[in-house]
Amino acid sequence: WRLLLLLSIFLSVVGFLRTQFYLDYVGSAAAEMEYRVPSFVGDPKIAFLFLTRRDLPLDFLWDSFFENVETTHFSVYIHSEPGFSFNETTTRTKLFHDRQLSDSIKVSWGEASMIEAERLLFREALRDPANQRFILLSDSCIPLYNFSYIYSYLIMRSPKSFVDSFTVKKDSEYNPLMSPVISKKNWMKGSQWVALVRKHAEVVVDDEIVFPLFQKFCKRRPAVVASLGRKNDILQKQHNCIPDEHYVQTLLAV
Ligand SMILES: *[C@@H]1O[C@H](CO)[C@@H](O)[C@H](O)[C@H]1NC(C)=O
Ligand SMILES: *[C@@H]1O[C@H](CO)[C@@H](O)[C@H](O)[C@H]1NC(C)=O
């Protein structure tokens, strides 16, 4: 019976430790992923994520697109340059008022800041559990179909993300220094404008592996300035990898 007693003490200690470990794990995961929801009940929304330079010149088209649409079916988020705001003086579309992210960053074309801005949009939109599809849009995108068509297509009929993704033979935009995390095989290219399901939007926001490599190894080559001499050569050898046309595609491939 002593053996039995020892065994039961041992088992209860193991049980206790496991519970502690489990609680620790759940606790820290909850802190990091406050926007996570296991399942959502209710009307699903499409999140429209606008990545703009300043204002939205085609706001009048979006205004008629969203006319008479239930506000429980969509949400709008805008990343524009810091300090810019969408209000009565900058847009005629009420839906865009105050939809600019408060933590927007200065974006430089061809640099990783562009994909960081995308990630900020996805992160903000993930906070609303009703958002189930995430469409990334530029300030020159226009809808080709009406809202009800797009809603039923994306929400009702397709459980998938839409990402334009292909490989390019001899892609000089690939930087071999990114391997082995990003192998040549996983280096994909495609349109920056994607429509993601929640699971893939979470992959983009949580990524701590692929994004830092883009930050480190993707630099925009500056214009040639003859007076810089040899320094010019070094700057020109920097790697122009066009992050916005490779990031989501490559991340999902990895
Ligand atoms: C609206 O936003 C613009 C641009 O950020 C700003 O200059 C202007 O003061 C704002 N107008 C109002 C009424 O808040
Ligand atoms: C939306 O577009 C579809 C397909 O073009 C059409 O069948 C439908 O009647 C339109 N719905 C509305 C509310 O206009």
Side-chain angles (χ1 to χ4, degrees), residues 13-209:
V13 167
V14 168
F16 176 73
L17 285 177
R18 280 192 57 163
T19 315
Q20 285 301 305
F21 174 75
Y22 179 71
L23 288 177
D24 278 356
Y25 175 74
V26 169
S28 66
E32 276 170 32
M33 304 175 180
E34 73 221 61
Y35 45 79
R36 293 299 186 276
V37 270
S39 62
F40 168 75
V41 187
D43 272 354
K45 286 184 193 168
I46 297 180
F48 291 82
L49 314 178
F50 291 94
L51 190 57
T52 74
R53 275 164 278 230
R54 275 179 76 77
D55 61 341
L56 277 157
L58 301 174
D59 56 357
F60 62 97
L61 279 175
W62 290 103
D63 205 42
S64 48
F65 174 76
F66 287 122
E67 209 182 331
N68 301 326
V69 175
E70 297 270 359
T71 51
T72 53
H73 283 171
F74 74 97
S75 51
V76 169
Y77 302 85
I78 309 171
H79 184 291
S80 184
E81 84 177 357
F84 188 82
S85 69
F86 284 78
N87 57 32
E88 304 81 55
T89 52
T90 53
T91 180
R92 283 156 290 183
T93 306
K94 268 214 166 67
L95 285 168
F96 292 157
H97 288 177
D98 301 321
R99 299 312 299 161
Q100 148 91 323
L101 300 192
S102 59
D103 56 355
S104 77
I105 56 164
K106 183 100 192 107
V107 167
S108 307
W109 183 88
E111 304 235 329
S113 54
M114 177 76 89
I115 50 182
E116 175 64 356
E118 292 178 12
R119 282 153 51 92
L120 290 172
L121 279 167
F122 284 115
R123 191 183 68 181
E124 189 58 30
L126 278 170
R127 290 183 201 281
D128 182 349
N131 287 331
Q132 296 293 313
R133 298 291 186 278
F134 304 76
I135 311 182
L136 192 61
L137 297 157
S138 79
D139 49 13
S140 53
C141 287
I142 55 165
L144 296 181
Y145 290 88
N146 60 33
F147 184 88
S148 56
Y149 185 88
I150 291 175
Y151 188 84
S152 64
Y153 195 97
L154 282 186
I155 300 262
M156 317 294 187
R157 293 197 218 151
S158 178
K160 294 185 177 174
S161 293
F162 289 83
V163 179
D164 173 42
S165 183
F166 50 87
T167 51
V168 180
K169 262 191 193 157
K170 294 200 195 133
D171 189 347
S172 63
E173 289 156 13
Y174 176 69
N175 188 339
L177 292 174
M178 291 171 154
S179 83
V181 176
I182 303 174
S183 63
K184 183 92 215 289
K185 186 171 91 8
N186 283 335
W187 181 251
M188 309 297 283
K189 184 167 178 148
S191 164
Q192 178 178 7
W193 315 110
V194 296
L196 301 184
V197 297
R198 221 181 144 85
K199 187 177 74 181
H200 290 149
E202 286 172 357
V203 169
V204 170
V205 171
D206 289 345
D207 168 35
E208 289 174 355
I209 296 164

Side-chain angles (χ1 to χ4, degrees), residues 4-14:
L4 209 63
L5 186 71
L6 273 175
L7 194 67
S8 70
I9 289 174
F10 174 73
L11 283 179
S12 49
V13 167
V14 168

